[in-house]
Amino acid sequence: MKKGQVSPVFKYVFGLIVGALFLLFFFGFAMQYKNTASSVEVRQIVYGFDDDLTAFSVTGDSSWEKRFPYSVSITFDNGQIISGDFAKSTSHIVFAPIEVSGNLMYIWTKRWSSPFDVDNLYYITGGKERYFLVFDDDSMSFVSELVSDYDGVPDSFSASSVLLTALADSSQISTLAGDALSYNKVKFVFFSEDSESILTAKINIENKFSNAESLIVLPSEDYENGIVTFPDGEQAVYFGKPLLLGAIFAEDSASYRYGFDSALHKFNLVSQVYQGKASFLNGRTGGVCANEYSGIYSTLTSLESTTIPDSLNEIASYVETIDNIDDQNKALGGECPEVF
Amino acid sequence: MIELIMVLVVLSIVIGLGMLFFFKANIGSIQEKAEDVCDLSSSVLLSSALAMPEMQCSFNTHTKDCVDTIKLLEFKDFSSSRDYSYHFSSNCRQRVSFQVIYPEPSASGECTDTTYPDNCNTWTIYTPSDFSSDFALYSTPASLYYPLEDEYRVGRLIVEVEM
């Protein structure tokens, strides 16, 4: 080999190293690009989903299907919408399984009022949950209303009513178990005070279902308010049908409580607007309706600091206060405009 | 050997330039997507803000398609709080306000307890801090209700999106 000439072996080794470096560089670049693209994609999903919820807040009651071009997984966790590695805080109050996946999601919204409109509550399912609303003679008409075609739970939420006595019959339970085979989770919601029958039904359910859990609703006389006992034994109150539906569709007691607290917080915010309006109207109307306006103002202020009731009696008194301000407001009119 | 190194250098420069163009185009496309998301959420806000219980008219708890101007007066006192920042400015920075158009008020300016109802024409509901003067404007007509006068005036909801 002459002086200044490079050995062919060295050339091959050099070429191999440079080639490997190029390959490594392009591989790293491709991975980086893939990560960026997927990061952009999850942001689009999350922002788009939150926008959809906002768009439907204009209606008091509506349901719709959200289709994705591919299967996605969205987690709803304490005021956050999460997909992949991206989380976005949302002001919407959502009751849903902790994780909803698939390329089709069903969303339903109902406006919660107490007595004035407060906010929309959202219920979401991926269609992998089955709900059986169990009724007895007393609760039959309320449960029929809950599953009715008009104003009831949309079909996409797979909710149907079952007579409590049917759960004492093993052949009927087997039929239900067959019906629920394709679902990941089954929830039985008992609307009954017959604890003995509920206990028998729960034992039968445990024998036939591996993925079932039970909620027990102890309602007030008109079913509008009450207490829900969750599968973990935790109890929580509800005011109005939208919050009861929240308890049914929430993942567990903790996520219901988060939604409930958010709803009450929103109630306080809207209440502040009405307190301000009552006080403003009082000033501008020259005290003609001072009693009514200051009555509404002070009741709204006191509701803000009231501890949340946890027994049916306390709920009744809380609801009475709400009814009172509603009556006070309805008494206004003419030269004294109503507050809400 | 020198030829080999020269080839490598030229190849690296070509690849480098290619990457530069690619990244520029890619960043441009991501920015475009972000702008689309922003456009969409501004349009959504335009339609949804009018139905917010904090602003919408209600008559004995029954809502109507109008905006209560006294509620606007009270709401704007705390609408810039953290509770509403997710609602008004979570996807992009935007200023939200209402303006009376007809009948034309005798004076313009921000409505307050003292200037309301006839000596003002604007209710600024939400302004992000250090809002830039470079923005895109979206607006929609709104029916503004004056409870004390029991009358409706023509107004508009304005959403200004920072560019």
PDB file of all heavy atoms in Angstrom, chain A residues 176-211:
ATOM      1  N   LEU A 176     -81.246 -11.698  32.803  1.00  0.00           N
ATOM      2  CA  LEU A 176     -80.571 -10.392  32.867  1.00  0.00           C
ATOM      3  C   LEU A 176     -79.072 -10.556  32.672  1.00  0.00           C
ATOM      4  O   LEU A 176     -78.428  -9.767  31.978  1.00  0.00           O
ATOM      5  CB  LEU A 176     -80.832  -9.714  34.225  1.00  0.00           C
ATOM      6  CG  LEU A 176     -82.266  -9.271  34.537  1.00  0.00           C
ATOM      7  CD1 LEU A 176     -82.317  -8.610  35.902  1.00  0.00           C
ATOM      8  CD2 LEU A 176     -82.765  -8.295  33.478  1.00  0.00           C
ATOM      9  N   ALA A 177     -78.507 -11.610  33.285  1.00  0.00           N
ATOM     10  CA  ALA A 177     -77.059 -11.836  33.179  1.00  0.00           C
ATOM     11  C   ALA A 177     -76.687 -12.091  31.717  1.00  0.00           C
ATOM     12  O   ALA A 177     -75.652 -11.601  31.239  1.00  0.00           O
ATOM     13  CB  ALA A 177     -76.651 -13.019  34.053  1.00  0.00           C
ATOM     14  N   GLY A 178     -77.533 -12.836  31.001  1.00  0.00           N
ATOM     15  CA  GLY A 178     -77.291 -13.095  29.582  1.00  0.00           C
ATOM     16  C   GLY A 178     -77.346 -11.803  28.782  1.00  0.00           C
ATOM     17  O   GLY A 178     -76.508 -11.552  27.917  1.00  0.00           O
ATOM     18  N   ASP A 179     -78.302 -10.956  29.160  1.00  0.00           N
ATOM     19  CA  ASP A 179     -78.489  -9.679  28.482  1.00  0.00           C
ATOM     20  C   ASP A 179     -77.279  -8.753  28.685  1.00  0.00           C
ATOM     21  O   ASP A 179     -76.937  -7.958  27.812  1.00  0.00           O
ATOM     22  CB  ASP A 179     -79.774  -9.040  29.046  1.00  0.00           C
ATOM     23  CG  ASP A 179     -79.997  -7.647  28.533  1.00  0.00           C
ATOM     24  OD1 ASP A 179     -79.801  -7.440  27.335  1.00  0.00           O
ATOM     25  OD2 ASP A 179     -80.354  -6.760  29.342  1.00  0.00           O
ATOM     26  N   ALA A 180     -76.629  -8.918  29.838  1.00  0.00           N
ATOM     27  CA  ALA A 180     -75.529  -7.999  30.183  1.00  0.00           C
ATOM     28  C   ALA A 180     -74.154  -8.575  29.872  1.00  0.00           C
ATOM     29  O   ALA A 180     -73.133  -7.976  30.215  1.00  0.00           O
ATOM     30  CB  ALA A 180     -75.620  -7.647  31.665  1.00  0.00           C
ATOM     31  N   LEU A 181     -74.133  -9.733  29.200  1.00  0.00           N
ATOM     32  CA  LEU A 181     -72.852 -10.414  28.951  1.00  0.00           C
ATOM     33  C   LEU A 181     -71.825  -9.557  28.204  1.00  0.00           C
ATOM     34  O   LEU A 181     -70.635  -9.610  28.497  1.00  0.00           O
ATOM     35  CB  LEU A 181     -73.099 -11.684  28.134  1.00  0.00           C
ATOM     36  CG  LEU A 181     -73.186 -12.991  28.929  1.00  0.00           C
ATOM     37  CD1 LEU A 181     -73.414 -14.152  27.992  1.00  0.00           C
ATOM     38  CD2 LEU A 181     -71.940 -13.206  29.775  1.00  0.00           C
ATOM     39  N   SER A 182     -72.306  -8.766  27.246  1.00  0.00           N
ATOM     40  CA  SER A 182     -71.360  -8.014  26.411  1.00  0.00           C
ATOM     41  C   SER A 182     -70.898  -6.704  27.053  1.00  0.00           C
ATOM     42  O   SER A 182     -70.167  -5.940  26.429  1.00  0.00           O
ATOM     43  CB  SER A 182     -72.007  -7.721  25.063  1.00  0.00           C
ATOM     44  OG  SER A 182     -73.217  -7.044  25.281  1.00  0.00           O
ATOM     45  N   TYR A 183     -71.327  -6.440  28.279  1.00  0.00           N
ATOM     46  CA  TYR A 183     -70.950  -5.176  28.929  1.00  0.00           C
ATOM     47  C   TYR A 183     -69.820  -5.404  29.942  1.00  0.00           C
ATOM     48  O   TYR A 183     -69.744  -6.462  30.558  1.00  0.00           O
ATOM     49  CB  TYR A 183     -72.160  -4.563  29.647  1.00  0.00           C
ATOM     50  CG  TYR A 183     -73.252  -4.163  28.688  1.00  0.00           C
ATOM     51  CD1 TYR A 183     -74.270  -5.055  28.352  1.00  0.00           C
ATOM     52  CD2 TYR A 183     -73.252  -2.906  28.096  1.00  0.00           C
ATOM     53  CE1 TYR A 183     -75.269  -4.695  27.455  1.00  0.00           C
ATOM     54  CE2 TYR A 183     -74.251  -2.546  27.205  1.00  0.00           C
ATOM     55  CZ  TYR A 183     -75.259  -3.440  26.886  1.00  0.00           C
ATOM     56  OH  TYR A 183     -76.232  -3.083  25.996  1.00  0.00           O
ATOM     57  N   ASN A 184     -68.990  -4.375  30.095  1.00  0.00           N
ATOM     58  CA  ASN A 184     -67.868  -4.488  31.039  1.00  0.00           C
ATOM     59  C   ASN A 184     -68.330  -4.351  32.484  1.00  0.00           C
ATOM     60  O   ASN A 184     -67.733  -4.903  33.391  1.00  0.00           O
ATOM     61  CB  ASN A 184     -66.838  -3.374  30.785  1.00  0.00           C
ATOM     62  CG  ASN A 184     -66.117  -3.583  29.489  1.00  0.00           C
ATOM     63  OD1 ASN A 184     -66.228  -4.647  28.884  1.00  0.00           O
ATOM     64  ND2 ASN A 184     -65.386  -2.573  29.042  1.00  0.00           N
ATOM     65  N   LYS A 185     -69.377  -3.539  32.665  1.00  0.00           N
ATOM     66  CA  LYS A 185     -69.814  -3.250  34.032  1.00  0.00           C
ATOM     67  C   LYS A 185     -71.342  -3.194  34.069  1.00  0.00           C
ATOM     68  O   LYS A 185     -71.966  -2.683  33.137  1.00  0.00           O
ATOM     69  CB  LYS A 185     -69.242  -1.894  34.446  1.00  0.00           C
ATOM     70  CG  LYS A 185     -69.296  -1.615  35.919  1.00  0.00           C
ATOM     71  CD  LYS A 185     -68.582  -0.283  36.161  1.00  0.00           C
ATOM     72  CE  LYS A 185     -68.470   0.062  37.607  1.00  0.00           C
ATOM     73  NZ  LYS A 185     -67.777   1.335  37.797  1.00  0.00           N
ATOM     74  N   VAL A 186     -71.910  -3.730  35.145  1.00  0.00           N
ATOM     75  CA  VAL A 186     -73.368  -3.702  35.292  1.00  0.00           C
ATOM     76  C   VAL A 186     -73.685  -3.014  36.617  1.00  0.00           C
ATOM     77  O   VAL A 186     -73.064  -3.317  37.641  1.00  0.00           O
ATOM     78  CB  VAL A 186     -73.949  -5.132  35.296  1.00  0.00           C
ATOM     79  CG1 VAL A 186     -75.463  -5.083  35.427  1.00  0.00           C
ATOM     80  CG2 VAL A 186     -73.544  -5.879  34.043  1.00  0.00           C
ATOM     81  N   LYS A 187     -74.628  -2.070  36.563  1.00  0.00           N
ATOM     82  CA  LYS A 187     -75.015  -1.378  37.802  1.00  0.00           C
ATOM     83  C   LYS A 187     -76.489  -1.609  38.072  1.00  0.00           C
ATOM     84  O   LYS A 187     -77.322  -1.374  37.191  1.00  0.00           O
ATOM     85  CB  LYS A 187     -74.776   0.133  37.668  1.00  0.00           C
ATOM     86  CG  LYS A 187     -73.467   0.594  38.236  1.00  0.00           C
ATOM     87  CD  LYS A 187     -73.428   2.109  38.303  1.00  0.00           C
ATOM     88  CE  LYS A 187     -72.004   2.583  38.541  1.00  0.00           C
ATOM     89  NZ  LYS A 187     -71.908   4.023  38.582  1.00  0.00           N
ATOM     90  N   PHE A 188     -76.801  -2.050  39.288  1.00  0.00           N
ATOM     91  CA  PHE A 188     -78.197  -2.173  39.714  1.00  0.00           C
ATOM     92  C   PHE A 188     -78.492  -0.991  40.633  1.00  0.00           C
ATOM     93  O   PHE A 188     -77.766  -0.773  41.611  1.00  0.00           O
ATOM     94  CB  PHE A 188     -78.415  -3.486  40.474  1.00  0.00           C
ATOM     95  CG  PHE A 188     -78.470  -4.690  39.572  1.00  0.00           C
ATOM     96  CD1 PHE A 188     -77.300  -5.353  39.205  1.00  0.00           C
ATOM     97  CD2 PHE A 188     -79.676  -5.147  39.066  1.00  0.00           C
ATOM     98  CE1 PHE A 188     -77.338  -6.447  38.364  1.00  0.00           C
ATOM     99  CE2 PHE A 188     -79.727  -6.247  38.220  1.00  0.00           C
ATOM    100  CZ  PHE A 188     -78.548  -6.905  37.861  1.00  0.00           C
ATOM    101  N   VAL A 189     -79.515  -0.228  40.314  1.00  0.00           N
ATOM    102  CA  VAL A 189     -79.863   0.929  41.142  1.00  0.00           C
ATOM    103  C   VAL A 189     -81.224   0.649  41.779  1.00  0.00           C
ATOM    104  O   VAL A 189     -82.232   0.558  41.071  1.00  0.00           O
ATOM    105  CB  VAL A 189     -79.915   2.218  40.293  1.00  0.00           C
ATOM    106  CG1 VAL A 189     -80.112   3.431  41.193  1.00  0.00           C
ATOM    107  CG2 VAL A 189     -78.656   2.361  39.465  1.00  0.00           C
ATOM    108  N   PHE A 190     -81.218   0.498  43.092  1.00  0.00           N
ATOM    109  CA  PHE A 190     -82.450   0.137  43.792  1.00  0.00           C
ATOM    110  C   PHE A 190     -83.217   1.366  44.229  1.00  0.00           C
ATOM    111  O   PHE A 190     -82.692   2.201  44.966  1.00  0.00           O
ATOM    112  CB  PHE A 190     -82.129  -0.721  45.025  1.00  0.00           C
ATOM    113  CG  PHE A 190     -81.608  -2.091  44.675  1.00  0.00           C
ATOM    114  CD1 PHE A 190     -80.245  -2.320  44.566  1.00  0.00           C
ATOM    115  CD2 PHE A 190     -82.479  -3.143  44.440  1.00  0.00           C
ATOM    116  CE1 PHE A 190     -79.763  -3.571  44.231  1.00  0.00           C
ATOM    117  CE2 PHE A 190     -82.006  -4.400  44.103  1.00  0.00           C
ATOM    118  CZ  PHE A 190     -80.640  -4.613  44.002  1.00  0.00           C
ATOM    119  N   PHE A 191     -84.460   1.463  43.801  1.00  0.00           N
ATOM    120  CA  PHE A 191     -85.348   2.530  44.264  1.00  0.00           C
ATOM    121  C   PHE A 191     -86.397   1.873  45.155  1.00  0.00           C
ATOM    122  O   PHE A 191     -87.531   1.635  44.750  1.00  0.00           O
ATOM    123  CB  PHE A 191     -86.031   3.213  43.076  1.00  0.00           C
ATOM    124  CG  PHE A 191     -85.086   3.999  42.208  1.00  0.00           C
ATOM    125  CD1 PHE A 191     -84.397   3.395  41.167  1.00  0.00           C
ATOM    126  CD2 PHE A 191     -84.878   5.353  42.437  1.00  0.00           C
ATOM    127  CE1 PHE A 191     -83.525   4.114  40.372  1.00  0.00           C
ATOM    128  CE2 PHE A 191     -84.008   6.081  41.649  1.00  0.00           C
ATOM    129  CZ  PHE A 191     -83.322   5.459  40.611  1.00  0.00           C
ATOM    130  N   SER A 192     -85.993   1.519  46.342  1.00  0.00           N
ATOM    131  CA  SER A 192     -86.912   0.817  47.229  1.00  0.00           C
ATOM    132  C   SER A 192     -86.429   0.956  48.674  1.00  0.00           C
ATOM    133  O   SER A 192     -85.232   1.138  48.925  1.00  0.00           O
ATOM    134  CB  SER A 192     -86.954  -0.661  46.848  1.00  0.00           C
ATOM    135  OG  SER A 192     -87.707  -1.378  47.787  1.00  0.00           O
ATOM    136  N   GLU A 193     -87.396   0.890  49.573  1.00  0.00           N
ATOM    137  CA  GLU A 193     -87.023   0.923  50.994  1.00  0.00           C
ATOM    138  C   GLU A 193     -87.131  -0.471  51.604  1.00  0.00           C
ATOM    139  O   GLU A 193     -86.910  -0.649  52.798  1.00  0.00           O
ATOM    140  CB  GLU A 193     -87.937   1.904  51.734  1.00  0.00           C
ATOM    141  CG  GLU A 193     -87.631   3.349  51.356  1.00  0.00           C
ATOM    142  CD  GLU A 193     -88.562   4.331  52.019  1.00  0.00           C
ATOM    143  OE1 GLU A 193     -88.819   4.205  53.227  1.00  0.00           O
ATOM    144  OE2 GLU A 193     -89.059   5.225  51.318  1.00  0.00           O
ATOM    145  N   ASP A 194     -87.459  -1.456  50.782  1.00  0.00           N
ATOM    146  CA  ASP A 194     -87.621  -2.821  51.261  1.00  0.00           C
ATOM    147  C   ASP A 194     -86.235  -3.476  51.377  1.00  0.00           C
ATOM    148  O   ASP A 194     -85.775  -4.173  50.466  1.00  0.00           O
ATOM    149  CB  ASP A 194     -88.519  -3.570  50.259  1.00  0.00           C
ATOM    150  CG  ASP A 194     -88.802  -4.988  50.693  1.00  0.00           C
ATOM    151  OD1 ASP A 194     -88.222  -5.438  51.703  1.00  0.00           O
ATOM    152  OD2 ASP A 194     -89.605  -5.649  50.009  1.00  0.00           O
ATOM    153  N   SER A 195     -85.591  -3.257  52.539  1.00  0.00           N
ATOM    154  CA  SER A 195     -84.197  -3.689  52.684  1.00  0.00           C
ATOM    155  C   SER A 195     -84.040  -5.203  52.605  1.00  0.00           C
ATOM    156  O   SER A 195     -83.013  -5.705  52.128  1.00  0.00           O
ATOM    157  CB  SER A 195     -83.609  -3.142  53.978  1.00  0.00           C
ATOM    158  OG  SER A 195     -84.487  -3.373  55.027  1.00  0.00           O
ATOM    159  N   GLU A 196     -85.074  -5.924  53.034  1.00  0.00           N
ATOM    160  CA  GLU A 196     -84.971  -7.392  53.002  1.00  0.00           C
ATOM    161  C   GLU A 196     -84.914  -7.902  51.558  1.00  0.00           C
ATOM    162  O   GLU A 196     -84.062  -8.725  51.213  1.00  0.00           O
ATOM    163  CB  GLU A 196     -86.186  -7.982  53.725  1.00  0.00           C
ATOM    164  CG  GLU A 196     -85.869  -9.285  54.449  1.00  0.00           C
ATOM    165  CD  GLU A 196     -87.025  -9.678  55.342  1.00  0.00           C
ATOM    166  OE1 GLU A 196     -87.217  -9.049  56.400  1.00  0.00           O
ATOM    167  OE2 GLU A 196     -87.751 -10.598  54.926  1.00  0.00           O
ATOM    168  N   SER A 197     -85.826  -7.368  50.737  1.00  0.00           N
ATOM    169  CA  SER A 197     -85.848  -7.792  49.321  1.00  0.00           C
ATOM    170  C   SER A 197     -84.568  -7.346  48.615  1.00  0.00           C
ATOM    171  O   SER A 197     -84.051  -8.061  47.747  1.00  0.00           O
ATOM    172  CB  SER A 197     -87.051  -7.182  48.601  1.00  0.00           C
ATOM    173  OG  SER A 197     -88.232  -7.590  49.218  1.00  0.00           O
ATOM    174  N   ILE A 198     -84.068  -6.175  49.006  1.00  0.00           N
ATOM    175  CA  ILE A 198     -82.832  -5.686  48.369  1.00  0.00           C
ATOM    176  C   ILE A 198     -81.681  -6.635  48.699  1.00  0.00           C
ATOM    177  O   ILE A 198     -80.871  -6.987  47.839  1.00  0.00           O
ATOM    178  CB  ILE A 198     -82.508  -4.243  48.820  1.00  0.00           C
ATOM    179  CG1 ILE A 198     -83.550  -3.267  48.248  1.00  0.00           C
ATOM    180  CG2 ILE A 198     -81.116  -3.825  48.364  1.00  0.00           C
ATOM    181  CD1 ILE A 198     -83.383  -1.828  48.685  1.00  0.00           C
ATOM    182  N   LEU A 199     -81.632  -7.073  49.973  1.00  0.00           N
ATOM    183  CA  LEU A 199     -80.561  -7.971  50.405  1.00  0.00           C
ATOM    184  C   LEU A 199     -80.608  -9.286  49.617  1.00  0.00           C
ATOM    185  O   LEU A 199     -79.577  -9.751  49.111  1.00  0.00           O
ATOM    186  CB  LEU A 199     -80.698  -8.235  51.916  1.00  0.00           C
ATOM    187  CG  LEU A 199     -79.507  -8.927  52.557  1.00  0.00           C
ATOM    188  CD1 LEU A 199     -78.283  -8.027  52.526  1.00  0.00           C
ATOM    189  CD2 LEU A 199     -79.833  -9.314  54.007  1.00  0.00           C
ATOM    190  N   THR A 200     -81.816  -9.849  49.486  1.00  0.00           N
ATOM    191  CA  THR A 200     -81.975 -11.101  48.720  1.00  0.00           C
ATOM    192  C   THR A 200     -81.525 -10.880  47.278  1.00  0.00           C
ATOM    193  O   THR A 200     -80.783 -11.691  46.711  1.00  0.00           O
ATOM    194  CB  THR A 200     -83.473 -11.530  48.716  1.00  0.00           C
ATOM    195  OG1 THR A 200     -83.967 -11.425  50.040  1.00  0.00           O
ATOM    196  CG2 THR A 200     -83.654 -12.920  48.170  1.00  0.00           C
ATOM    197  N   ALA A 201     -81.975  -9.741  46.707  1.00  0.00           N
ATOM    198  CA  ALA A 201     -81.629  -9.447  45.310  1.00  0.00           C
ATOM    199  C   ALA A 201     -80.115  -9.317  45.151  1.00  0.00           C
ATOM    200  O   ALA A 201     -79.539  -9.843  44.187  1.00  0.00           O
ATOM    201  CB  ALA A 201     -82.316  -8.160  44.883  1.00  0.00           C
ATOM    202  N   LYS A 202     -79.463  -8.669  46.124  1.00  0.00           N
ATOM    203  CA  LYS A 202     -78.011  -8.456  46.028  1.00  0.00           C
ATOM    204  C   LYS A 202     -77.257  -9.787  46.068  1.00  0.00           C
ATOM    205  O   LYS A 202     -76.267  -9.978  45.356  1.00  0.00           O
ATOM    206  CB  LYS A 202     -77.530  -7.523  47.141  1.00  0.00           C
ATOM    207  CG  LYS A 202     -77.785  -6.046  46.809  1.00  0.00           C
ATOM    208  CD  LYS A 202     -77.484  -5.139  47.954  1.00  0.00           C
ATOM    209  CE  LYS A 202     -76.063  -4.670  47.972  1.00  0.00           C
ATOM    210  NZ  LYS A 202     -75.832  -3.640  49.007  1.00  0.00           N
ATOM    211  N   ILE A 203     -77.751 -10.709  46.924  1.00  0.00           N
ATOM    212  CA  ILE A 203     -77.110 -12.029  47.001  1.00  0.00           C
ATOM    213  C   ILE A 203     -77.253 -12.753  45.658  1.00  0.00           C
ATOM    214  O   ILE A 203     -76.290 -13.315  45.123  1.00  0.00           O
ATOM    215  CB  ILE A 203     -77.729 -12.870  48.163  1.00  0.00           C
ATOM    216  CG1 ILE A 203     -77.363 -12.222  49.500  1.00  0.00           C
ATOM    217  CG2 ILE A 203     -77.260 -14.315  48.106  1.00  0.00           C
ATOM    218  CD1 ILE A 203     -78.135 -12.746  50.687  1.00  0.00           C
ATOM    219  N   ASN A 204     -78.463 -12.696  45.095  1.00  0.00           N
ATOM    220  CA  ASN A 204     -78.699 -13.346  43.796  1.00  0.00           C
ATOM    221  C   ASN A 204     -77.825 -12.727  42.702  1.00  0.00           C
ATOM    222  O   ASN A 204     -77.304 -13.427  41.840  1.00  0.00           O
ATOM    223  CB  ASN A 204     -80.179 -13.218  43.404  1.00  0.00           C
ATOM    224  CG  ASN A 204     -81.048 -14.114  44.250  1.00  0.00           C
ATOM    225  OD1 ASN A 204     -80.553 -15.064  44.867  1.00  0.00           O
ATOM    226  ND2 ASN A 204     -82.328 -13.825  44.311  1.00  0.00           N
ATOM    227  N   ILE A 205     -77.688 -11.399  42.757  1.00  0.00           N
ATOM    228  CA  ILE A 205     -76.874 -10.700  41.740  1.00  0.00           C
ATOM    229  C   ILE A 205     -75.414 -11.149  41.854  1.00  0.00           C
ATOM    230  O   ILE A 205     -74.764 -11.462  40.860  1.00  0.00           O
ATOM    231  CB  ILE A 205     -76.998  -9.164  41.914  1.00  0.00           C
ATOM    232  CG1 ILE A 205     -78.391  -8.698  41.505  1.00  0.00           C
ATOM    233  CG2 ILE A 205     -75.953  -8.427  41.091  1.00  0.00           C
ATOM    234  CD1 ILE A 205     -78.742  -7.293  41.957  1.00  0.00           C
ATOM    235  N   GLU A 206     -74.922 -11.207  43.104  1.00  0.00           N
ATOM    236  CA  GLU A 206     -73.518 -11.608  43.309  1.00  0.00           C
ATOM    237  C   GLU A 206     -73.265 -13.008  42.766  1.00  0.00           C
ATOM    238  O   GLU A 206     -72.174 -13.312  42.272  1.00  0.00           O
ATOM    239  CB  GLU A 206     -73.178 -11.562  44.796  1.00  0.00           C
ATOM    240  CG  GLU A 206     -72.662 -10.196  45.223  1.00  0.00           C
ATOM    241  CD  GLU A 206     -72.564 -10.050  46.721  1.00  0.00           C
ATOM    242  OE1 GLU A 206     -72.286 -11.053  47.403  1.00  0.00           O
ATOM    243  OE2 GLU A 206     -72.802  -8.920  47.213  1.00  0.00           O
ATOM    244  N   ASN A 207     -74.294 -13.883  42.882  1.00  0.00           N
ATOM    245  CA  ASN A 207     -74.128 -15.254  42.398  1.00  0.00           C
ATOM    246  C   ASN A 207     -74.095 -15.338  40.873  1.00  0.00           C
ATOM    247  O   ASN A 207     -73.458 -16.230  40.327  1.00  0.00           O
ATOM    248  CB  ASN A 207     -75.274 -16.145  42.911  1.00  0.00           C
ATOM    249  CG  ASN A 207     -75.133 -16.382  44.403  1.00  0.00           C
ATOM    250  OD1 ASN A 207     -74.031 -16.294  44.950  1.00  0.00           O
ATOM    251  ND2 ASN A 207     -76.242 -16.668  45.075  1.00  0.00           N
ATOM    252  N   LYS A 208     -74.780 -14.432  40.221  1.00  0.00           N
ATOM    253  CA  LYS A 208     -74.900 -14.540  38.761  1.00  0.00           C
ATOM    254  C   LYS A 208     -73.989 -13.597  37.984  1.00  0.00           C
ATOM    255  O   LYS A 208     -73.687 -13.833  36.829  1.00  0.00           O
ATOM    256  CB  LYS A 208     -76.358 -14.257  38.340  1.00  0.00           C
ATOM    257  CG  LYS A 208     -77.339 -15.323  38.764  1.00  0.00           C
ATOM    258  CD  LYS A 208     -77.268 -16.532  37.847  1.00  0.00           C
ATOM    259  CE  LYS A 208     -78.239 -17.607  38.331  1.00  0.00           C
ATOM    260  NZ  LYS A 208     -78.058 -18.872  37.601  1.00  0.00           N
ATOM    261  N   PHE A 209     -73.587 -12.493  38.620  1.00  0.00           N
ATOM    262  CA  PHE A 209     -72.776 -11.493  37.905  1.00  0.00           C
ATOM    263  C   PHE A 209     -71.387 -11.392  38.541  1.00  0.00           C
ATOM    264  O   PHE A 209     -71.271 -11.384  39.764  1.00  0.00           O
ATOM    265  CB  PHE A 209     -73.416 -10.096  37.992  1.00  0.00           C
ATOM    266  CG  PHE A 209     -74.695  -9.948  37.222  1.00  0.00           C
ATOM    267  CD1 PHE A 209     -75.904 -10.335  37.778  1.00  0.00           C
ATOM    268  CD2 PHE A 209     -74.695  -9.401  35.952  1.00  0.00           C
ATOM    269  CE1 PHE A 209     -77.088 -10.185  37.078  1.00  0.00           C
ATOM    270  CE2 PHE A 209     -75.878  -9.239  35.247  1.00  0.00           C
ATOM    271  CZ  PHE A 209     -77.079  -9.637  35.802  1.00  0.00           C
ATOM    272  N   SER A 210     -70.376 -11.272  37.695  1.00  0.00           N
ATOM    273  CA  SER A 210     -69.031 -11.082  38.247  1.00  0.00           C
ATOM    274  C   SER A 210     -68.642  -9.608  38.209  1.00  0.00           C
ATOM    275  O   SER A 210     -67.673  -9.189  38.828  1.00  0.00           O
ATOM    276  CB  SER A 210     -68.029 -11.894  37.433  1.00  0.00           C
ATOM    277  OG  SER A 210     -68.131 -11.506  36.083  1.00  0.00           O
ATOM    278  N   ASN A 211     -69.406  -8.819  37.440  1.00  0.00           N
ATOM    279  CA  ASN A 211     -69.010  -7.426  37.215  1.00  0.00           C
ATOM    280  C   ASN A 211     -70.113  -6.447  37.624  1.00  0.00           C
ATOM    281  O   ASN A 211     -70.240  -5.376  37.047  1.00  0.00           O
ATOM    282  CB  ASN A 211     -68.667  -7.217  35.744  1.00  0.00           C
ATOM    283  CG  ASN A 211     -69.805  -7.668  34.831  1.00  0.00           C
ATOM    284  OD1 ASN A 211     -70.769  -8.277  35.296  1.00  0.00           O
ATOM    285  ND2 ASN A 211     -69.698  -7.356  33.559  1.00  0.00           N
TER     286      ASN A 211
END
